[in-house]
């Protein structure tokens, strides 16, 4: 053995840095800066940013599988063994590994393990939390346990606003496909669907769908989704002012009727029933959301409701954030596609807001002026940010007009709406 | 898939998708109205204790106000 | 690709419902109703009921493995590939998969994964929490950390009551075997043992044993165990009144002596010592129970004791409940065997109660009338419900007779007793 | 296994099972008595602070009573 | 089938006890005694001790893998099948299994599973928590979230004290190698490195490194590390009094300057930056430590910070402790090597303390007497015990000299220092 | 590896190891000083609200003192 400064120097970060890694670390720092200084969805963006930094440390391989580490090692002997195991020449080993399946895949893992390579910690977190789909679903359970659907139950018609706002999703899908005309873009239908769900303005739904349809784009999609959710107070108001008249914005809505405990208990079953009948592909999302809500409203399992609202969602958020961050590698993130995703994401939020507002105007007319069309903008979800924005814009036109509670209906309807949209995309695109 | 076909599929998907989203949520409106009627008839008339849209953290507020009141009194006595 | 309403319609629940699934969903709703409206062990029955609904959504496959989904897909190409991998004709593929072991099993999983099938979320929860045995053991740790054994330490002789009540287990075992005389029943010794443990009136023990000895019956056994535990206030009083005289029930017992901290610390070691010496097969159950109790009584690890009593037990209960629910498929649950299990379960509780009461009467005589025989009924465990029932029945005969603390001794003794019985069954039946 | 043999095995298992359960718990009675004697002799005489069967949640009760008292006083002063 | 007392008796602990198991159980009891009666690091030593007892129950196999249970079963048919699967004669099966890799390893596991053997619960806990490296890293995250680095930020020069105290690690490494001269010892460089890290006086770092470099010694190393951390108040004071003069010990230090929120937020990035640039092999340890600290100091993710400080660290500690305990088998622990490890550990703590004190004396001189050299002893980490010991010894010389806050700087610097040392050992020894 | 070579490697490792530990932490001293200067210049002057080394559990202490005060008063009034 020969321990010397040379080999240690060769293992340092300085000696191995690539420009891409450096840029991704700066991206990570930017996300953390936005999380701390601008309070941009800090619960997610801070762990995502930190995960991005850790994932791009040269030589640490924290986001790599065991075979990934073997490939990165450059050890010719080990590469030859892997090539032999995969039955390809050494120069094709990386590509062959990417397409290896079944026993060849298992054999590669055995080999890497035998040679002493181990999966990085972030890779393990990703495998357990996102690749299985468990983390976003558990967060959805927590969201259900944290959400009071009373405003929606008191006025079910606001579901239409939550439906309309999902137009942003499907228009963005078209946009993503259209982007293929621009050289450098090559989005498949699955890619486009995963990107489009950013318009659902719902983090766990976006991560769940992206992990199923386009894992390579997951990092960019999650970052776009949470960033735009944080930007809702900047994106929405101009559109709201543009599409509604001063008079419409000043409409004061009737107080909501009280909702009984039994209604709150029956509500999750109503939603689940329709999901079962018409859209089983949305069952994981809607099932866990409604399970969480039933834990909350049943009133007999305070312990479990508390666990879903606190311990589970907090613990899972840490792992989810670090895992999403682990996907922010230079290779994947620093591409023209990410730029497209960011543009499409902004477009999706705007289109969803506009569609919600138009539906709001329709309901305004149809109801004889009782509905303030602004609450349509809350239909994109982004709970509770969008509802607060509605409240704020409403107050500008009428200082005694508190729309918050009225906007909560479409706001939570938007969560259901985007879960339904995700179910459609999974059924049509995922089942191919 | 050639681009035109891809776009056609996308448009188809948009129509079907928005159709399903609206259908789903419109049926849900109807279901929820029925559910509410059922709930109200099951409960007789709405019991007085029914909570309307409740502000969360009520008990925390009570606790905080109690404690701050207690702090004030405590300081006054010193 | 052809996206059309036809294919989407074919994926809906309505088009695929089977009668069995519908009934199982109603069973799930019934369990939830009992949990919420009747407060029947809601911490378990609510998640079990919801899990049963989710597991039976047609087309969602939430309780299926990846290969299970492949088999359900009906895709002839995929079925042919699986049949080829298993080396059987296509029409025998389902049966061949059920008996596949070793490499054939691994190969089937690789194939399903390569073809894009993924395990359902509830299947993942089940694999992690119940198939490993971890969830019931962690709940047992929490039970240990939540249980104060002082009443038992103060009067060790009540262990005999906890021993006698386990007679319900073994009599039920005979009953289950005898049921084989009825056409339609075919319980093996392992099945009968797993059913019999319902008489232990202890949820985690029943789930642990069933997962080891008769996984196919786990759903029915868990449902029966928790249902009857909730029904203890209805099942026990008539038996108690029948088997004891008014005079016996009115006996006032001496106050319990105080118990020192050192005794409480040495207690878990006493129990563990006997388990080590005489019944190593009960070591997982008794070991975790006593570990939890030591965390509680040691007084130096408040953090860990708190985690065992709250975070861990709450989180695990959610996953355990959903996982048990995932086993409530029509195929397994809607059989004559479930009916038999329900009948045997009621029998087991009654027999255990009676045996405890007889031992109570014996101790009454032997002690010269100092022991109230009612406390024998608490020996079935069902902590703390059975002890409360004893208290209530005792109060009926003497308005100043508070038996609660006296019944806690046999009550917690019953937990140890049924863990011992489970150890015997595991050693004899599991080791074959 | 034919039915009669199965039942015989079951009866055997019942006898052995109840035997072990009783043996185990009877030995445990003896062990616990010895343990208690050991504990008491180790501790000299029982220290006064020893807790008898303790009601859990004692501190919660104190907190609740304190807070409710504080609420009452607080309301009285308004 | 033949159920008889004979076979049950053969399965009891009494019939199967080996002397080694008995001794290991007594070791477990001793650890628990130290934890409860002497408050020796009870959060770790109590679960470790209990795990040791459970792991050594004869016949229960709670710490064994499925194949391990097959090997222990002595079933000749099963052993023959395993030997056939490994392609060796039956009498070499145990050795062949130990060196089996890749597909042979997988095949062995499949076979054992097919034959009905299941991994013991503690083996599962160990595989999930320690073999993956996850548990020590998550505890390190919690330590970061619990640690206030203000004292270090206010006086960065105390980092030198944290550096000097790591001399104990490297001197111990030499000592471990030198021990090979004594017959019966055969420590490889990896073994010696894992043992040496005991001198880092940091539990999770020691467990992480041992799990990577010398899993066979993990139990003894973890026990030694935590025991000596608990013994710091006994080990350090004599060395402190010996190496410093009364006048030096009486030095009163200047109050620390206040530290701004921004400095606290930038601190984790400073440390991480250097780790990235110079020592990527320390990235998992330092990355998770600094992630936890950022959660704490960012002030925008109270939920996550709370989860890292409480739920996660408590839950993980339970599993980590039981898992470490599961490694305390007679075969591994009752060897001359353990004795060597215990001797070396005491030596490591003493050497680290002395090195820290010498650096303290140097800083005392260089600063013109402003630095009390005692605070150098806190550089070994053992947070916050070592800082408290410094405070106590300082008070003996000057009743108004409160050194606690001044010793916190080198104390937390020692955590970083030993993580850096661990990174060096991993890079040089682990990468071979 | 023969013993002498093993010891040589160990000594090498000790030298390199301590060298890296010291180098790392000395550079960290410099980095932290620069970082502090940067932080202070970014923040203008240190805002008054800046927390010095803070005792954790402050709020708990307040709560406890308030509650114990409340208990005392509560008992006095009975
Ligand atoms: Na939405
Ligand atoms: Na029982
Ligand atoms: Na250290």
């Amino acid at each position: 053995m020969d321990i010397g400064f040379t080999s240690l120097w060769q293992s340092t970060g300085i000696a191995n840095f690539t420009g891409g890694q450096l840029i991704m670390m700066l991206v990570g720092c930017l996300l953390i800066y936005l999380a701390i200084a601008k309070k941009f969805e800090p619960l997610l963006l801070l762990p995502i940013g930190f995960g991005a930094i850790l994932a791009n440390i040269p030589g640490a391989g924290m986001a790599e599988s065991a075979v990934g580490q073997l490939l990165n090692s450059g050890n010719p002997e080990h590469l030859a063994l892997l090539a032999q195991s995969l039955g390809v020449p050494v120069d094709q080993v990386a590509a062959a590994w990417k397409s290896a399946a079944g026993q060849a895949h298992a054999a590669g893992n055995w080999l890497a393990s035998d040679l002493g390579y181990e999966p990085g910690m972030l890779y393990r977190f990703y495998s357990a939390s996102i690749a299985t789909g468990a983390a976003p679903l558990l967060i959805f359970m927590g969201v259900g346990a944290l959400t009071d659907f009373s405003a929606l139950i008191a006025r079910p018609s606001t579901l239409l606003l939550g439906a309309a706002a999902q137009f942003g999703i499907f228009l963005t899908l078209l946009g993503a496909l259209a982007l293929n005309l621009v050289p450098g873009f090559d989005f498949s239908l699955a890619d486009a669907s995963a990107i489009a769900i950013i318009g659902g303005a719902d983090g766990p739904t976006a991560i769940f769908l992206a992990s199923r349809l386009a894992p390579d784009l997951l990092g960019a999609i999650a970052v776009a989704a949470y960033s735009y959710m944080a930007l809702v107070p900047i994106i929405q108001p101009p559109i709201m002012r543009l599409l509604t008249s001063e008079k419409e914005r000043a409409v004061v809505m009737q107080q909501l009727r009280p909702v009984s405990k039994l209604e709150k208990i029956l509500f999750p079953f109503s939603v689940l029933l329709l999901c079962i009948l018409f859209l089983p592909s949305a069952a994981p999302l809607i099932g866990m959301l409604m399970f969480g809500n039933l834990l909350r409203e049943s009133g007999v399992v305070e312990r479990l409701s508390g666990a879903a609202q606190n311990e589970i969602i907090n613990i899972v958020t840490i792992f989810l954030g670090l895992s999403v961050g682990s996907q922010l590698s230079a290779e994947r993130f620093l591409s023209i596609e990410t730029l497209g995703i960011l543009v499409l994401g902004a477009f999706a939020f705007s289109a969803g807001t506009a569609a919600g507002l138009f539906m709001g105007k329709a309901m305004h007319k149809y109801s004889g002026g009782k509905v303030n069309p602004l609450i349509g903008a809350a239909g994109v979800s982004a709970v509770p940010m969008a509802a607060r924005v509605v409240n704020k814009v409403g107050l500008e036109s009428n200082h005694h007009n508190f729309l918050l509670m009225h906007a909560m209906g479409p706001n939570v309807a938007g969560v259901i709406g985007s879960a339904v949209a995700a179910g459609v995309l999974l059924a049509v695109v995922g089942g191919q | 898939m050639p681009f035109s076909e891809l776009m056609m599929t996308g448009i188809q998907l948009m129509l079907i998708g928005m159709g399903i989203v609206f259908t789903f949520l419109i049926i849900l409106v109807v279901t929820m109205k029925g559910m509410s009627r059922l709930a109200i008839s099951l409960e007789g008339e709405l019991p007085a204790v029914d909570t309307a849209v409740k502000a969360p953290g009520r008990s925390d507020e009570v606790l905080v106000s109690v404690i701050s009141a207690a702090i004030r009194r405590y300081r006054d006595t010193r």
Side-chain angles (χ1 to χ4, degrees), chain A, chain B:
Chain A
M1 192 183 61
D2 176 48
I3 302 177
F5 279 105
T6 325
S7 70
L8 262 170
W9 167 253
Q10 282 165 353
S11 82
T12 62
I14 301 182
N16 290 291
F17 249 113
T18 66
Q21 288 168 328
L22 198 65
I23 295 173
M24 288 317 296
M25 286 194 180
L26 293 176
V27 168
C29 289
L30 175 68
L31 293 177
I32 295 172
Y33 171 78
L34 294 173
I36 297 179
K38 304 286 174 191
K39 306 255 186 325
F40 268 32
E41 297 280 334
L43 291 174
L44 263 296
L45 289 189
L46 194 148
I48 291 178
F50 210 92
I53 296 177
L54 293 182
N56 285 284
I57 300 179
M62 285 186 73
E64 293 287 345
S65 69
V67 175
Q69 310 232 24
L70 189 160
L71 290 170
N72 284 350
S73 74
N75 182 317
E77 200 183 326
H78 295 175
L79 288 171
L81 283 168
L82 182 61
Q84 185 190 328
S85 157
L86 293 167
V88 294
V90 162
D91 56 339
Q92 294 166 26
V93 68
W97 172 247
K98 250 194 156 172
S99 62
Q103 180 156 8
H105 197 270
N109 283 326
W110 291 331
L111 178 69
S113 168
D114 291 346
L115 295 174
Y117 296 95
E118 283 183 282
M121 191 48 51
L122 296 181
Y123 178 84
R124 290 193 197 270
F125 289 170
Y126 179 85
S127 305
S129 67
I130 295 188
T132 62
L137 292 182
L138 291 175
I139 289 188
F140 231 48
M141 176 175 79
V143 169
L146 284 162
T147 303
D148 183 346
F149 283 97
S150 296
L152 182 61
I153 300 172
R155 194 180 277 147
S157 58
T158 53
L159 277 166
L160 297 179
L161 300 167
Q166 309 315 318
F167 193 62
I169 293 178
F170 293 100
L171 209 63
T172 306
L173 193 152
L174 280 193
L177 293 178
L179 218 53
N180 284 343
L181 285 180
V182 180
F185 286 99
D186 185 19
F187 289 133
S188 70
L189 198 62
D191 294 343
S193 301
I195 295 166
I197 204 71
I198 298 173
D202 188 90
T205 302
I207 292 173
F208 183 75
L209 204 72
S211 71
R212 261 67 209 129
L213 298 181
D216 277 2
L217 303 177
L218 188 142
I221 289 171
V223 166
Y226 281 104
S227 300
Y228 289 122
M229 278 161 68
L231 286 172
V232 151
I234 294 167
I235 296 175
Q236 288 199 320
I239 305 173
M240 293 160 81
R241 293 197 197 98
L242 184 72
L243 297 181
T244 55
S245 69
E246 179 69 27
K247 205 186 124 207
E248 285 172 334
R249 292 199 292 276
V251 169
V252 177
M253 294 180 70
Q254 271 186 300
Q255 222 198 310
L256 291 169
R257 72 170 175 86
V259 169
S260 78
K261 191 166 156 22
L262 183 58
E263 283 178 274
K264 290 194 195 175
I265 292 176
L266 292 180
F267 171 74
F269 292 99
S270 307
V271 180
L272 187 62
L273 177 68
L274 294 199
C275 169
I276 292 169
L277 292 180
F278 303 116
L279 203 60
S281 55
L285 282 167
I286 288 185
M288 292 306 276
L289 182 73
M290 291 300 136
F291 176 58
N293 193 243
L294 183 62
L295 290 182
R296 172 200 181 88
E297 301 298 354
S298 70
V300 292
V301 289
E302 292 297 323
R303 271 179 161 260
L304 307 187
S305 174
Q309 289 177 37
N310 297 295
E311 288 86 355
I312 295 180
I313 202 170
N314 294 345
I315 294 172
V316 171
T317 299
I318 289 179
F319 289 106
L320 183 76
L322 289 174
S323 301
V324 168
S326 78
Q327 299 301 297
L328 294 184
S329 64
E331 186 189 348
R332 288 177 175 173
F333 194 82
L334 296 181
S335 67
I336 185 80
E337 295 186 332
T338 297
L339 215 66
I341 290 171
L342 289 173
V343 170
L344 287 165
F347 175 72
F349 267 64
S350 307
T353 304
L357 286 167
F358 279 120
M359 178 56 79
K361 285 166 80 86
M363 286 178 71
H364 175 75
K365 253 188 214 151
Y366 177 79
S367 68
K370 284 189 187 164
V371 172
N372 186 320
L374 284 180
I375 66 168
V380 295
S381 26
V383 186
M385 193 78 85
R388 279 194 207 142
V389 169
V390 167
N391 194 51
K392 206 181 137 221
V393 175
L395 281 174
E396 288 170 7
S397 298
N398 177 343
H399 287 286
H400 300 289
N401 192 4
F402 293 93
L403 290 170
L404 188 64
M405 270 305 150
H406 304 289
M408 282 311 291
N411 211 189
V412 297
V415 177
I416 298 174
S418 46
V420 170
V424 174
L425 295 174
L426 271 177
V428 174
V429 183
Q432 299 191 284
Chain B
M1 224 182 303
F3 179 74
S4 61
E5 199 185 320
L6 197 63
M7 284 305 289
M8 279 312 297
T9 311
I11 290 169
Q12 230 181 324
L13 186 52
M14 180 172 81
L15 295 176
I16 294 176
M18 281 310 287
I20 292 180
V21 169
F22 262 102
T23 312
F24 191 102
L25 293 183
I26 288 171
I27 302 180
L28 187 55
V29 172
V30 177
T31 311
M32 280 172 66
K33 286 191 174 161
M35 177 274 281
S36 286
R37 211 164 300 146
L38 176 73
I40 290 165
S41 76
L42 277 175
E43 288 183 320
E45 45 189 13
L46 272 179
V49 290
D50 269 354
T51 50
V53 179
K54 217 204 314 189
R58 199 68 171 282
S59 64
D60 279 0
E61 280 168 42
V62 170
L63 188 68
V64 165
S65 71
V66 164
I67 286 176
S68 54
I71 292 175
R72 242 178 294 134
R73 320 202 98 230
Y74 179 56
R75 291 216 170 128
D76 291 347
T77 60
R78 295 180 100 179

